[in-house]
mmCIF file of all heavy atoms in Angstrom:
data_model
loop_
_atom_site.group_PDB
_atom_site.id
_atom_site.type_symbol
_atom_site.label_atom_id
_atom_site.label_comp_id
_atom_site.label_asym_id
_atom_site.label_seq_id
_atom_site.Cartn_x
_atom_site.Cartn_y
_atom_site.Cartn_z
ATOM 1 N N GLU W 132 -3.259 4.366 -3.671
ATOM 2 C CA GLU W 132 -3.752 3.312 -4.560
ATOM 3 C C GLU W 132 -5.274 3.209 -4.523
ATOM 4 O O GLU W 132 -5.916 3.072 -5.559
ATOM 5 C CB GLU W 132 -3.134 1.967 -4.187
ATOM 6 C CG GLU W 132 -1.648 1.889 -4.449
ATOM 7 C CD GLU W 132 -1.032 0.597 -3.940
ATOM 8 O OE1 GLU W 132 -1.763 -0.220 -3.353
ATOM 9 O OE2 GLU W 132 0.172 0.426 -4.128
ATOM 10 N N ALA W 133 -5.858 3.255 -3.329
ATOM 11 C CA ALA W 133 -7.312 3.148 -3.191
ATOM 12 C C ALA W 133 -8.000 4.505 -3.324
ATOM 13 O O ALA W 133 -9.224 4.570 -3.318
ATOM 14 C CB ALA W 133 -7.662 2.522 -1.842
ATOM 15 N N ASN W 134 -7.220 5.595 -3.409
ATOM 16 C CA ASN W 134 -7.737 6.954 -3.517
ATOM 17 C C ASN W 134 -8.682 7.275 -2.348
ATOM 18 O O ASN W 134 -9.788 7.750 -2.531
ATOM 19 C CB ASN W 134 -8.439 7.163 -4.856
ATOM 20 C CG ASN W 134 -8.505 8.633 -5.221
ATOM 21 O OD1 ASN W 134 -7.616 9.400 -4.891
ATOM 22 N ND2 ASN W 134 -9.578 9.025 -5.893
ATOM 23 N N LYS W 135 -8.187 6.977 -1.116
ATOM 24 C CA LYS W 135 -8.967 7.217 0.096
ATOM 25 C C LYS W 135 -8.086 7.903 1.139
ATOM 26 O O LYS W 135 -6.869 7.855 1.060
ATOM 27 C CB LYS W 135 -9.512 5.901 0.661
ATOM 28 C CG LYS W 135 -10.509 5.233 -0.245
ATOM 29 C CD LYS W 135 -11.075 3.991 0.421
ATOM 30 C CE LYS W 135 -12.094 3.385 -0.496
ATOM 31 N NZ LYS W 135 -13.382 3.267 0.099
ATOM 32 N N PHE W 136 -8.736 8.519 2.116
ATOM 33 C CA PHE W 136 -8.024 9.109 3.241
ATOM 34 C C PHE W 136 -8.787 8.827 4.522
ATOM 35 O O PHE W 136 -9.983 8.543 4.509
ATOM 36 C CB PHE W 136 -7.811 10.619 3.043
ATOM 37 C CG PHE W 136 -9.032 11.456 3.290
ATOM 38 C CD1 PHE W 136 -9.199 12.111 4.497
ATOM 39 C CD2 PHE W 136 -10.017 11.599 2.319
ATOM 40 C CE1 PHE W 136 -10.328 12.893 4.735
ATOM 41 C CE2 PHE W 136 -11.135 12.364 2.542
ATOM 42 C CZ PHE W 136 -11.293 13.013 3.749
ATOM 43 N N LYS W 137 -8.057 8.895 5.635
ATOM 44 C CA LYS W 137 -8.666 8.664 6.944
ATOM 45 C C LYS W 137 -8.055 9.638 7.935
ATOM 46 O O LYS W 137 -6.841 9.699 8.092
ATOM 47 C CB LYS W 137 -8.415 7.229 7.408
ATOM 48 C CG LYS W 137 -8.859 6.968 8.828
ATOM 49 C CD LYS W 137 -8.919 5.505 9.229
ATOM 50 C CE LYS W 137 -7.632 4.814 9.347
ATOM 51 N NZ LYS W 137 -7.756 3.486 9.986
ATOM 52 N N GLU W 138 -8.912 10.427 8.571
ATOM 53 C CA GLU W 138 -8.489 11.238 9.710
ATOM 54 C C GLU W 138 -8.722 10.376 10.940
ATOM 55 O O GLU W 138 -9.809 9.844 11.125
ATOM 56 C CB GLU W 138 -9.278 12.530 9.787
ATOM 57 C CG GLU W 138 -8.949 13.481 8.667
ATOM 58 C CD GLU W 138 -9.683 14.793 8.793
ATOM 59 O OE1 GLU W 138 -10.735 14.840 9.462
ATOM 60 O OE2 GLU W 138 -9.209 15.765 8.207
ATOM 61 N N TYR W 139 -7.693 10.217 11.748
ATOM 62 C CA TYR W 139 -7.795 9.263 12.845
ATOM 63 C C TYR W 139 -7.404 9.887 14.179
ATOM 64 O O TYR W 139 -6.721 10.906 14.242
ATOM 65 C CB TYR W 139 -6.900 8.049 12.576
ATOM 66 C CG TYR W 139 -5.422 8.354 12.649
ATOM 67 C CD1 TYR W 139 -4.738 8.314 13.855
ATOM 68 C CD2 TYR W 139 -4.699 8.690 11.512
ATOM 69 C CE1 TYR W 139 -3.392 8.615 13.931
ATOM 70 C CE2 TYR W 139 -3.362 8.984 11.579
ATOM 71 C CZ TYR W 139 -2.704 8.948 12.789
ATOM 72 O OH TYR W 139 -1.377 9.240 12.871
ATOM 73 N N GLN W 140 -7.882 9.249 15.222
ATOM 74 C CA GLN W 140 -7.426 9.469 16.589
ATOM 75 C C GLN W 140 -6.899 8.115 17.043
ATOM 76 O O GLN W 140 -7.530 7.095 16.792
ATOM 77 C CB GLN W 140 -8.553 9.939 17.517
ATOM 78 C CG GLN W 140 -9.061 11.337 17.242
ATOM 79 C CD GLN W 140 -9.948 11.412 16.034
ATOM 80 O OE1 GLN W 140 -10.739 10.506 15.795
ATOM 81 N NE2 GLN W 140 -9.827 12.469 15.258
ATOM 82 N N SER W 141 -5.762 8.135 17.703
ATOM 83 C CA SER W 141 -5.135 6.884 18.097
ATOM 84 C C SER W 141 -5.056 6.802 19.619
ATOM 85 O O SER W 141 -4.680 7.759 20.285
ATOM 86 C CB SER W 141 -3.730 6.818 17.492
ATOM 87 O OG SER W 141 -3.060 5.676 17.945
ATOM 88 N N PHE W 142 -5.437 5.647 20.140
ATOM 89 C CA PHE W 142 -5.327 5.356 21.570
ATOM 90 C C PHE W 142 -4.781 3.943 21.692
ATOM 91 O O PHE W 142 -5.292 3.024 21.048
ATOM 92 C CB PHE W 142 -6.692 5.483 22.256
ATOM 93 C CG PHE W 142 -6.654 5.240 23.725
ATOM 94 C CD1 PHE W 142 -6.022 6.127 24.572
ATOM 95 C CD2 PHE W 142 -7.226 4.112 24.268
ATOM 96 C CE1 PHE W 142 -5.974 5.894 25.942
ATOM 97 C CE2 PHE W 142 -7.192 3.868 25.630
ATOM 98 C CZ PHE W 142 -6.558 4.766 26.462
ATOM 99 N N LEU W 143 -3.756 3.773 22.484
ATOM 100 C CA LEU W 143 -3.044 2.499 22.595
ATOM 101 C C LEU W 143 -2.539 2.050 21.223
ATOM 102 O O LEU W 143 -2.552 0.874 20.894
ATOM 103 C CB LEU W 143 -3.919 1.417 23.231
ATOM 104 C CG LEU W 143 -4.241 1.611 24.697
ATOM 105 C CD1 LEU W 143 -5.204 0.533 25.177
ATOM 106 C CD2 LEU W 143 -2.968 1.599 25.535
ATOM 107 N N TRP W 144 -2.116 3.022 20.421
ATOM 108 C CA TRP W 144 -1.533 2.810 19.098
ATOM 109 C C TRP W 144 -2.505 2.160 18.114
ATOM 110 O O TRP W 144 -2.108 1.637 17.089
ATOM 111 C CB TRP W 144 -0.225 2.043 19.198
ATOM 112 C CG TRP W 144 0.776 2.795 20.006
ATOM 113 C CD1 TRP W 144 1.540 3.845 19.589
ATOM 114 C CD2 TRP W 144 1.107 2.601 21.370
ATOM 115 N NE1 TRP W 144 2.320 4.309 20.612
ATOM 116 C CE2 TRP W 144 2.082 3.554 21.725
ATOM 117 C CE3 TRP W 144 0.680 1.714 22.350
ATOM 118 C CZ2 TRP W 144 2.635 3.641 22.991
ATOM 119 C CZ3 TRP W 144 1.227 1.812 23.613
ATOM 120 C CH2 TRP W 144 2.194 2.750 23.925
ATOM 121 N N ILE W 145 -3.807 2.184 18.416
ATOM 122 C CA ILE W 145 -4.832 1.710 17.499
ATOM 123 C C ILE W 145 -5.506 2.941 16.903
ATOM 124 O O ILE W 145 -5.982 3.810 17.637
ATOM 125 C CB ILE W 145 -5.879 0.817 18.218
ATOM 126 C CG1 ILE W 145 -5.193 -0.392 18.845
ATOM 127 C CG2 ILE W 145 -6.975 0.397 17.262
ATOM 128 C CD1 ILE W 145 -6.082 -1.187 19.768
ATOM 129 N N LYS W 146 -5.538 3.003 15.582
ATOM 130 C CA LYS W 146 -6.080 4.172 14.890
ATOM 131 C C LYS W 146 -7.581 4.017 14.667
ATOM 132 O O LYS W 146 -8.016 3.082 14.015
ATOM 133 C CB LYS W 146 -5.356 4.375 13.565
ATOM 134 C CG LYS W 146 -3.901 4.751 13.743
ATOM 135 C CD LYS W 146 -3.193 4.822 12.411
ATOM 136 C CE LYS W 146 -1.772 5.294 12.551
ATOM 137 N NZ LYS W 146 -0.933 4.510 13.384
ATOM 138 N N PHE W 147 -8.356 4.965 15.209
ATOM 139 C CA PHE W 147 -9.807 4.970 15.056
ATOM 140 C C PHE W 147 -10.194 6.059 14.059
ATOM 141 O O PHE W 147 -9.772 7.197 14.185
ATOM 142 C CB PHE W 147 -10.497 5.245 16.399
ATOM 143 C CG PHE W 147 -10.206 4.204 17.442
ATOM 144 C CD1 PHE W 147 -9.208 4.405 18.388
ATOM 145 C CD2 PHE W 147 -10.929 3.027 17.475
ATOM 146 C CE1 PHE W 147 -8.935 3.456 19.348
ATOM 147 C CE2 PHE W 147 -10.667 2.071 18.434
ATOM 148 C CZ PHE W 147 -9.664 2.277 19.373
ATOM 149 N N GLY W 148 -10.986 5.706 13.074
ATOM 150 C CA GLY W 148 -11.441 6.641 12.057
ATOM 151 C C GLY W 148 -11.923 5.858 10.854
ATOM 152 O O GLY W 148 -11.635 4.672 10.719
ATOM 153 N N GLU W 149 -12.673 6.510 9.990
ATOM 154 C CA GLU W 149 -13.222 5.830 8.821
ATOM 155 C C GLU W 149 -12.572 6.336 7.552
ATOM 156 O O GLU W 149 -12.303 7.534 7.408
ATOM 157 C CB GLU W 149 -14.734 6.046 8.762
ATOM 158 C CG GLU W 149 -15.470 5.389 9.902
ATOM 159 C CD GLU W 149 -16.975 5.418 9.703
ATOM 160 O OE1 GLU W 149 -17.416 5.543 8.544
ATOM 161 O OE2 GLU W 149 -17.678 5.317 10.710
ATOM 162 N N TRP W 150 -12.339 5.410 6.619
ATOM 163 C CA TRP W 150 -11.801 5.762 5.316
ATOM 164 C C TRP W 150 -12.881 6.482 4.519
ATOM 165 O O TRP W 150 -14.039 6.094 4.520
ATOM 166 C CB TRP W 150 -11.341 4.521 4.561
ATOM 167 C CG TRP W 150 -10.090 3.931 5.130
ATOM 168 C CD1 TRP W 150 -9.999 2.866 5.968
ATOM 169 C CD2 TRP W 150 -8.760 4.379 4.905
ATOM 170 N NE1 TRP W 150 -8.688 2.620 6.281
ATOM 171 C CE2 TRP W 150 -7.903 3.537 5.641
ATOM 172 C CE3 TRP W 150 -8.194 5.402 4.160
ATOM 173 C CZ2 TRP W 150 -6.525 3.695 5.640
ATOM 174 C CZ3 TRP W 150 -6.813 5.559 4.171
ATOM 175 C CH2 TRP W 150 -5.998 4.711 4.903
ATOM 176 N N GLN W 151 -12.454 7.553 3.834
ATOM 177 C CA GLN W 151 -13.345 8.326 2.986
ATOM 178 C C GLN W 151 -12.714 8.457 1.601
ATOM 179 O O GLN W 151 -11.493 8.422 1.470
ATOM 180 C CB GLN W 151 -13.583 9.718 3.573
ATOM 181 C CG GLN W 151 -14.161 9.701 4.970
ATOM 182 C CD GLN W 151 -14.225 11.097 5.556
ATOM 183 O OE1 GLN W 151 -14.367 12.072 4.835
ATOM 184 N NE2 GLN W 151 -14.102 11.188 6.870
ATOM 185 N N ASN W 152 -13.550 8.638 0.590
ATOM 186 C CA ASN W 152 -13.044 8.812 -0.765
ATOM 187 C C ASN W 152 -12.394 10.182 -0.920
ATOM 188 O O ASN W 152 -12.909 11.176 -0.409
ATOM 189 C CB ASN W 152 -14.166 8.661 -1.793
ATOM 190 C CG ASN W 152 -14.664 7.240 -1.871
ATOM 191 O OD1 ASN W 152 -13.899 6.297 -1.717
ATOM 192 N ND2 ASN W 152 -15.954 7.081 -2.099
ATOM 193 N N LEU W 153 -11.287 10.210 -1.627
ATOM 194 C CA LEU W 153 -10.593 11.460 -1.902
ATOM 195 C C LEU W 153 -11.200 12.131 -3.130
ATOM 196 O O LEU W 153 -11.498 11.456 -4.115
ATOM 197 C CB LEU W 153 -9.115 11.190 -2.210
ATOM 198 C CG LEU W 153 -8.140 11.174 -1.060
ATOM 199 C CD1 LEU W 153 -6.806 10.627 -1.517
ATOM 200 C CD2 LEU W 153 -7.970 12.547 -0.474
ATOM 201 N N PRO W 154 -11.374 13.445 -3.087
ATOM 202 C CA PRO W 154 -11.758 14.129 -4.317
ATOM 203 C C PRO W 154 -10.544 14.209 -5.250
ATOM 204 O O PRO W 154 -9.425 13.859 -4.864
ATOM 205 C CB PRO W 154 -12.168 15.523 -3.823
ATOM 206 C CG PRO W 154 -11.395 15.713 -2.574
ATOM 207 C CD PRO W 154 -11.261 14.349 -1.957
ATOM 208 N N LYS W 155 -10.758 14.669 -6.458
ATOM 209 C CA LYS W 155 -9.662 14.827 -7.416
ATOM 210 C C LYS W 155 -8.731 15.929 -6.909
ATOM 211 O O LYS W 155 -9.125 17.080 -6.749
ATOM 212 C CB LYS W 155 -10.228 15.189 -8.794
ATOM 213 C CG LYS W 155 -9.205 15.568 -9.814
ATOM 214 C CD LYS W 155 -8.499 14.354 -10.354
ATOM 215 C CE LYS W 155 -7.591 14.783 -11.509
ATOM 216 N NZ LYS W 155 -6.287 14.239 -11.426
ATOM 217 N N ILE W 156 -7.482 15.565 -6.612
ATOM 218 C CA ILE W 156 -6.488 16.536 -6.143
ATOM 219 C C ILE W 156 -5.833 17.155 -7.372
ATOM 220 O O ILE W 156 -5.209 16.460 -8.175
ATOM 221 C CB ILE W 156 -5.442 15.863 -5.235
ATOM 222 C CG1 ILE W 156 -6.116 15.203 -4.032
ATOM 223 C CG2 ILE W 156 -4.387 16.863 -4.792
ATOM 224 C CD1 ILE W 156 -6.857 16.149 -3.118
ATOM 225 N N GLU W 157 -5.997 18.461 -7.524
ATOM 226 C CA GLU W 157 -5.482 19.164 -8.693
ATOM 227 C C GLU W 157 -4.038 19.611 -8.524
ATOM 228 O O GLU W 157 -3.285 19.659 -9.495
ATOM 229 C CB GLU W 157 -6.352 20.393 -8.978
ATOM 230 C CG GLU W 157 -7.790 20.054 -9.243
ATOM 231 C CD GLU W 157 -8.713 21.255 -9.093
ATOM 232 O OE1 GLU W 157 -8.244 22.348 -8.713
ATOM 233 O OE2 GLU W 157 -9.913 21.092 -9.353
ATOM 234 N N ASN W 158 -3.683 19.961 -7.300
ATOM 235 C CA ASN W 158 -2.352 20.512 -7.060
ATOM 236 C C ASN W 158 -1.973 20.310 -5.601
ATOM 237 O O ASN W 158 -2.834 20.197 -4.734
ATOM 238 C CB ASN W 158 -2.333 22.007 -7.418
ATOM 239 C CG ASN W 158 -0.937 22.573 -7.479
ATOM 240 O OD1 ASN W 158 0.042 21.843 -7.534
ATOM 241 N ND2 ASN W 158 -0.836 23.893 -7.483
ATOM 242 N N ALA W 159 -0.690 20.272 -5.373
ATOM 243 C CA ALA W 159 -0.145 20.279 -4.006
ATOM 244 C C ALA W 159 0.936 21.338 -3.984
ATOM 245 O O ALA W 159 1.821 21.355 -4.839
ATOM 246 C CB ALA W 159 0.423 18.916 -3.646
ATOM 247 N N GLU W 160 0.854 22.232 -3.032
ATOM 248 C CA GLU W 160 1.806 23.336 -2.996
ATOM 249 C C GLU W 160 2.326 23.552 -1.581
ATOM 250 O O GLU W 160 1.700 23.145 -0.604
ATOM 251 C CB GLU W 160 1.180 24.611 -3.547
ATOM 252 C CG GLU W 160 -0.121 24.991 -2.886
ATOM 253 C CD GLU W 160 -0.858 26.099 -3.605
ATOM 254 O OE1 GLU W 160 -0.908 26.078 -4.851
ATOM 255 O OE2 GLU W 160 -1.390 26.981 -2.912
ATOM 256 N N LEU W 161 3.457 24.213 -1.520
ATOM 257 C CA LEU W 161 4.094 24.511 -0.238
ATOM 258 C C LEU W 161 4.043 26.015 -0.023
ATOM 259 O O LEU W 161 4.462 26.788 -0.887
ATOM 260 C CB LEU W 161 5.545 24.025 -0.242
ATOM 261 C CG LEU W 161 6.355 24.265 1.024
ATOM 262 C CD1 LEU W 161 5.781 23.454 2.172
ATOM 263 C CD2 LEU W 161 7.796 23.894 0.796
ATOM 264 N N ILE W 162 3.484 26.424 1.103
ATOM 265 C CA ILE W 162 3.485 27.836 1.460
ATOM 266 C C ILE W 162 4.087 27.962 2.853
ATOM 267 O O ILE W 162 4.126 27.001 3.618
ATOM 268 C CB ILE W 162 2.071 28.459 1.423
ATOM 269 C CG1 ILE W 162 1.126 27.747 2.397
ATOM 270 C CG2 ILE W 162 1.501 28.429 0.022
ATOM 271 C CD1 ILE W 162 -0.217 28.410 2.528
ATOM 272 N N HIS W 163 4.601 29.125 3.134
ATOM 273 C CA HIS W 163 5.093 29.355 4.495
ATOM 274 C C HIS W 163 4.356 30.550 5.080
ATOM 275 O O HIS W 163 3.960 31.472 4.370
ATOM 276 C CB HIS W 163 6.611 29.545 4.526
ATOM 277 C CG HIS W 163 7.088 30.810 3.901
ATOM 278 N ND1 HIS W 163 7.268 30.951 2.554
ATOM 279 C CD2 HIS W 163 7.423 31.990 4.457
ATOM 280 C CE1 HIS W 163 7.690 32.163 2.287
ATOM 281 N NE2 HIS W 163 7.792 32.824 3.419
ATOM 282 N N TYR W 164 4.144 30.453 6.372
ATOM 283 C CA TYR W 164 3.385 31.466 7.092
ATOM 284 C C TYR W 164 4.219 31.889 8.288
ATOM 285 O O TYR W 164 4.602 31.061 9.118
ATOM 286 C CB TYR W 164 2.043 30.871 7.542
ATOM 287 C CG TYR W 164 1.220 31.772 8.417
ATOM 288 C CD1 TYR W 164 0.670 32.944 7.929
ATOM 289 C CD2 TYR W 164 0.994 31.456 9.748
ATOM 290 C CE1 TYR W 164 -0.085 33.774 8.725
ATOM 291 C CE2 TYR W 164 0.236 32.275 10.567
ATOM 292 C CZ TYR W 164 -0.305 33.433 10.052
ATOM 293 O OH TYR W 164 -1.047 34.253 10.856
ATOM 294 N N THR W 165 4.537 33.173 8.351
ATOM 295 C CA THR W 165 5.333 33.698 9.455
ATOM 296 C C THR W 165 4.459 34.619 10.297
ATOM 297 O O THR W 165 3.747 35.469 9.774
ATOM 298 C CB THR W 165 6.555 34.481 8.921
ATOM 299 O OG1 THR W 165 7.327 33.604 8.096
ATOM 300 C CG2 THR W 165 7.429 34.982 10.055
ATOM 301 N N TYR W 166 4.516 34.417 11.587
ATOM 302 C CA TYR W 166 3.737 35.240 12.503
ATOM 303 C C TYR W 166 4.552 35.488 13.774
ATOM 304 O O TYR W 166 5.536 34.818 14.044
ATOM 305 C CB TYR W 166 2.401 34.578 12.845
ATOM 306 C CG TYR W 166 2.529 33.253 13.556
ATOM 307 C CD1 TYR W 166 2.451 33.170 14.943
ATOM 308 C CD2 TYR W 166 2.744 32.079 12.846
ATOM 309 C CE1 TYR W 166 2.575 31.961 15.598
ATOM 310 C CE2 TYR W 166 2.862 30.866 13.484
ATOM 311 C CZ TYR W 166 2.776 30.814 14.857
ATOM 312 O OH TYR W 166 2.899 29.613 15.494
ATOM 313 N N THR W 167 4.122 36.484 14.530
ATOM 314 C CA THR W 167 4.780 36.802 15.797
ATOM 315 C C THR W 167 4.069 36.057 16.914
ATOM 316 O O THR W 167 2.865 36.205 17.103
ATOM 317 C CB THR W 167 4.754 38.313 16.069
ATOM 318 O OG1 THR W 167 5.393 38.976 14.983
ATOM 319 C CG2 THR W 167 5.478 38.650 17.359
ATOM 320 N N GLU W 168 4.822 35.247 17.620
ATOM 321 C CA GLU W 168 4.284 34.450 18.711
ATOM 322 C C GLU W 168 4.763 35.062 20.025
ATOM 323 O O GLU W 168 5.924 35.429 20.163
ATOM 324 C CB GLU W 168 4.797 33.016 18.573
ATOM 325 C CG GLU W 168 4.294 32.073 19.606
ATOM 326 C CD GLU W 168 4.817 30.660 19.388
ATOM 327 O OE1 GLU W 168 5.884 30.489 18.782
ATOM 328 O OE2 GLU W 168 4.150 29.730 19.841
ATOM 329 N N SER W 169 3.845 35.192 20.980
ATOM 330 C CA SER W 169 4.245 35.728 22.285
ATOM 331 C C SER W 169 3.489 34.990 23.373
ATOM 332 O O SER W 169 2.401 34.473 23.152
ATOM 333 C CB SER W 169 3.971 37.230 22.369
ATOM 334 O OG SER W 169 2.602 37.496 22.220
ATOM 335 N N ASN W 170 4.112 34.958 24.552
ATOM 336 C CA ASN W 170 3.437 34.313 25.671
ATOM 337 C C ASN W 170 2.394 35.258 26.262
ATOM 338 O O ASN W 170 2.379 36.452 25.991
ATOM 339 C CB ASN W 170 4.440 33.844 26.726
ATOM 340 C CG ASN W 170 5.183 34.993 27.377
ATOM 341 O OD1 ASN W 170 5.383 36.042 26.782
ATOM 342 N ND2 ASN W 170 5.601 34.815 28.612
ATOM 343 N N PHE W 171 1.521 34.724 27.061
ATOM 344 C CA PHE W 171 0.441 35.500 27.655
ATOM 345 C C PHE W 171 1.007 36.419 28.734
ATOM 346 O O PHE W 171 1.622 35.938 29.699
ATOM 347 C CB PHE W 171 -0.602 34.551 28.260
ATOM 348 C CG PHE W 171 -1.813 35.252 28.783
ATOM 349 C CD1 PHE W 171 -2.744 35.774 27.907
ATOM 350 C CD2 PHE W 171 -2.014 35.389 30.136
ATOM 351 C CE1 PHE W 171 -3.867 36.421 28.386
ATOM 352 C CE2 PHE W 171 -3.122 36.031 30.630
ATOM 353 C CZ PHE W 171 -4.069 36.553 29.750
ATOM 354 N N PRO W 172 0.840 37.739 28.597
ATOM 355 C CA PRO W 172 1.362 38.647 29.627
ATOM 356 C C PRO W 172 0.573 38.483 30.929
ATOM 357 O O PRO W 172 -0.643 38.618 30.938
ATOM 358 C CB PRO W 172 1.181 40.035 29.021
ATOM 359 C CG PRO W 172 0.146 39.881 27.974
ATOM 360 C CD PRO W 172 0.184 38.452 27.512
ATOM 361 N N ASN W 173 1.291 38.145 31.999
ATOM 362 C CA ASN W 173 0.604 37.924 33.270
ATOM 363 C C ASN W 173 1.081 38.845 34.383
ATOM 364 O O ASN W 173 0.647 38.730 35.512
ATOM 365 C CB ASN W 173 0.755 36.462 33.704
ATOM 366 C CG ASN W 173 2.191 36.047 33.871
ATOM 367 O OD1 ASN W 173 3.086 36.885 33.849
ATOM 368 N ND2 ASN W 173 2.426 34.759 34.018
#
Side-chain angles (χ1 to χ4, degrees):
E132 293 174 358
N134 202 33
K135 295 184 178 238
F136 77 99
K137 173 167 69 169
E138 291 183 337
Y139 69 86
Q140 291 76 38
S141 175
F142 182 69
L143 291 175
W144 299 281
I145 301 170
K146 294 175 176 59
F147 298 97
E149 294 190 23
W150 288 100
Q151 302 173 30
N152 291 325
L153 271 169
K155 172 77 173 133
I156 302 298
E157 300 162 356
N158 192 15
E160 54 191 42
L161 180 66
I162 60 173
H163 69 278
Y164 174 67
T165 302
Y166 62 96
T167 302
E168 182 179 25
S169 61
N170 64 332
F171 185 74
N173 59 10

